Amino acid sequence: MTEPAAQPVPPALPVTFRPTRTRAVLLSVGLAMFATITAVALLLETLSAGERISFVFTAVLLTSVLVLLSRPKVVADEAGVTVVNLTSTRRLEWAQILRVNLRPGDPWVFLDLSDGTSLPALGIQPGVARAQAIGDARALRALAETRGTGATDH
């Protein structure tokens, strides 16, 4: 007979979960793209001032999209959890989180809430760093179970 898996020890609070590799790639590509497009705008002698400005504006716009995509995170503290997704931020008390789910094939963690809804938490996503995402999901699940009304769902 095998022993059941040990419950993970909840991390010390406050803790921030975010897809660090994905964020690093997005911000690096954004910076490189901005620098390249701006350099091209400045080096092309045949461009007018308006055309140069439109190049730089396009670079700012494209970089802004990548910065927006790098925004998601989940911040847990003593009072609850703040879920920051692409364009929204939602503050939850621990008691509102019933379950933390990261099932095979899920693009990110889903939080089952006491109001019957499910909230995607894009700050924990297994895309590039699967092991980190699984560890982060387990840590958030352990926090929800010890601080709220959480129930285990593997």
Side-chain angles (χ1 to χ4, degrees):
M1 192 183 295
T2 60
E3 292 182 30
Q7 284 289 81
V9 177
L13 295 176
V15 63
T16 300
F17 304 106
R18 70 174 9 145
T20 52
R21 287 185 193 166
T22 301
R23 181 176 166 85
V25 168
L26 288 169
L27 294 176
S28 298
V29 168
L31 180 62
M33 184 176 50
F34 177 80
T36 302
I37 293 173
T38 301
V40 167
L42 296 175
L43 293 174
L44 289 177
E45 297 173 4
T46 60
L47 295 180
S48 69
E51 291 170 326
R52 289 176 202 265
I53 290 171
S54 70
F55 265 69
V56 174
F57 177 75
T58 301
V60 167
L61 187 63
L62 293 172
T63 302
S64 298
V65 169
L66 294 180
V67 169
L68 182 68
L69 290 172
S70 71
R71 184 174 183 255
K73 65 182 174 180
V74 177
V75 180
D77 58 32
E78 294 292 336
V81 175
T82 303
V83 177
V84 179
N85 287 330
L86 295 178
T87 59
S88 65
T89 300
R90 183 157 176 200
R91 179 72 184 165
L92 301 166
E93 295 179 13
W94 286 112
Q96 292 177 274
I97 302 171
L98 301 179
R99 187 172 296 118
V100 177
N101 294 310
L102 180 59
R103 296 173 294 265
D106 280 351
W108 39 72
V109 162
F110 288 90
L111 305 177
D112 290 342
L113 305 179
S114 59
D115 65 2
T117 63
S118 181
L119 176 67
L122 279 64
I124 303 175
Q125 48 184 265
V128 176
R130 181 170 175 75
Q132 177 189 350
I134 291 170
D136 290 350
R138 286 181 178 151
L140 185 58
R141 180 181 295 143
L143 285 167
E145 289 174 355
T146 59
R147 298 189 171 274
T149 58
T152 306
D153 181 28
H154 296 278

